[in-house]
Amino acid sequence: MHTVAVIALDHVVPFDLAVPTDVFGWVRLADGSPGYRVVVCGPADEVSAGPFTIRVRHGLATLADLTETDTIIVPGVADDDASVPAEVVDALRAAAARGTRIASVCVGAFTLAATGLLNGLRATTHWLGTAELAARYPAIEVDPHVLYVDNGQILTSAGAAAGLDLCLHLVRRDYGAAVAADAARHSVTPLERDGGQAQFIAHEPPAPDGVSLRPLLTWMEQNLADELTLDRIARHAALSTRTLNRRFREQTGTTPQQWLTRVRLRRAQHLLETTAHPVEWIAAQTGFTSPSTFRERFKRLVGVSPAAYRASFRGAEIASAPRGGAPVAGALAAGALAAGALCVSATYTRP
């Protein structure tokens, strides 16, 4: 079981604190056992959380006492100009030296930056704070356009819901797409958004008529094996291709074909994890024109070949399972997803 420690500083942003405690707390493996132990710790017994106060059960010494701690989450605080307590800086640096994975949520990047652990790395935060982060910490390569940045041991996320995306990304890294998809269902959140997707900074609001793409996205997911050209998608939606592209940008932040490719790959991941079907069959079922095209795109976007992905995430029972498969129970093989995995598809709606 992975242990996740969430640090609660004074004036912590409640949402930033709640997201990791809930997401990791909901994770269940194929046998029903919990995937994570979650503890909340801080430098004081009580911390302000805006309109209410939170009692913290564990002190910062817990980070050192829990030598098996796998991940530390650093939520944001309401005042990112506030100085970070020296004991927090020391605790995070010591944890990093031990190899602990550390991730910040939203403006928690300012706390993480104060430790020096982001120096020389690419990082992000809420788009309203990216300019200030870059100005205050010039040694950090601040990217204002992404939802999260995964540097391996050190990760950062953008604002609000991007923290949820980051937590689900970590679940994918640890346990694979099927477990992450189950966690997302508990969170009632989609899994289309990968780290490179743009933050919703300057996108226009949805169409004035309030038309949602949800029915169209559902139809596309149900017909992944078909040839879904832009013209065919537009005809089904009774829209011009220009209007279709505009609405996709408004409501998903990407193009129809890019969205479709990601969903196909996530469906392929699910099939690789949960069935023993050959790669050629999976390529056909997910709409790729040839197995070689499927392998090339899968490796380019996921970071490993389909065969390597399957070897990393399927349980021993899958190898001997009849065609049709069985639930995955395996854990992450070391380094298999250094580039970060995608995940199983679910219908996307604009936050």
Side-chain angles (χ1 to χ4, degrees):
M1 184 188 298
H2 293 241
T3 297
V4 175
V6 185
I7 297 182
L9 300 181
D10 205 26
H11 303 293
V12 66
V13 177
F15 184 84
D16 293 1
L17 179 67
V19 164
T21 55
D22 279 357
V23 171
F24 293 115
W26 284 329
V27 172
R28 292 294 180 271
L29 306 184
D31 62 0
S33 63
Y36 297 91
R37 174 194 177 195
V38 182
V39 298
V40 177
C41 58
D45 293 337
E46 289 188 354
V47 297
S48 170
F52 53 89
T53 299
I54 295 174
R55 287 196 57 82
V56 179
R57 293 180 180 176
H58 303 278
L60 290 178
T62 300
L63 298 181
D65 294 340
L66 292 174
T67 55
E68 76 278 9
T69 297
D70 299 281
T71 301
I72 295 173
I73 303 294
V74 183
V77 296
D79 181 8
D80 54 43
D81 287 327
S83 60
V84 181
E87 58 188 318
V88 174
V89 171
D90 292 342
L92 288 173
R93 287 174 176 170
R98 293 193 300 270
T100 303
R101 184 172 63 187
I102 303 175
S104 64
V105 176
C106 194
V107 292
F110 284 85
T111 301
L112 199 50
T115 68
L117 295 175
L118 290 177
N119 289 349
L121 298 179
R122 181 167 159 261
T124 194
T125 188
H126 191 289
W127 64 273
L128 286 172
T130 52
E132 177 62 24
L133 183 66
R136 196 183 303 179
Y137 301 99
I140 302 173
E141 180 190 346
V142 179
D143 188 340
H145 304 297
V146 296
L147 295 178
Y148 57 82
V149 176
D150 182 350
N151 292 295
Q153 183 186 4
I154 308 295
L155 304 92
T156 54
S157 75
L164 188 56
D165 296 307
L166 175 62
C167 290
L168 291 171
H169 170 71
L170 291 175
V171 175
R172 291 196 299 272
R173 275 183 48 174
D174 294 338
Y175 293 113
V179 174
D182 183 64
R185 282 190 290 271
H186 280 287
S187 305
V188 195
T189 189
L191 281 171
E192 272 71 12
R193 308 202 310 170
D194 60 27
Q197 182 173 317
Q199 295 189 42
F200 292 103
I201 300 172
H203 294 311
E204 294 297 323
D209 58 10
V211 175
S212 169
L213 287 179
R214 178 185 291 272
L216 178 64
L217 301 185
T218 300
W219 173 80
M220 291 170 68
E221 287 185 325
Q222 292 172 345
N223 293 276
L224 292 180
D226 296 345
E227 183 180 1
L228 297 179
T229 64
L230 185 62
D231 287 339
R232 183 181 175 190
I233 297 170
R235 285 197 304 271
H236 183 84
L239 299 170
S240 68
T241 56
R242 180 177 179 179
T243 300
L244 177 69
N245 280 320
R246 175 173 56 80
R247 289 191 176 173
F248 254 82
R249 285 290 184 186
E250 291 170 353
Q251 298 185 37
T252 73
T254 189
T255 67
Q257 292 303 325
Q258 289 172 337
W259 187 91
L260 184 61
T261 296
R262 289 205 301 265
V263 172
R264 281 173 164 160
L265 286 175
R266 290 162 190 159
R267 175 60 178 164
Q269 283 182 298
H270 179 70
L271 293 172
L272 287 167
E273 289 188 31
T274 59
T275 78
H277 289 301
V279 169
E280 293 76 12
W281 184 90
I282 292 174
Q285 289 299 307
T286 52
F288 288 93
T289 55
S290 70
S292 60
T293 298
F294 168 60
R295 289 186 176 95
E296 186 275 327
R297 292 193 180 180
F298 191 97
K299 186 171 185 178
R300 175 160 51 87
L301 293 179
V302 178
V304 294
S305 69
Y309 183 89
R310 169 174 271 168
S312 296
F313 286 107
R314 67 180 181 181
E317 69 274 18
I318 293 292
S320 60
R323 294 293 171 88
V328 64
L332 173 66
L337 293 185
L342 299 172
C343 55
V344 180
S345 168
T347 301
Y348 179 88
T349 53
R350 184 184 176 93

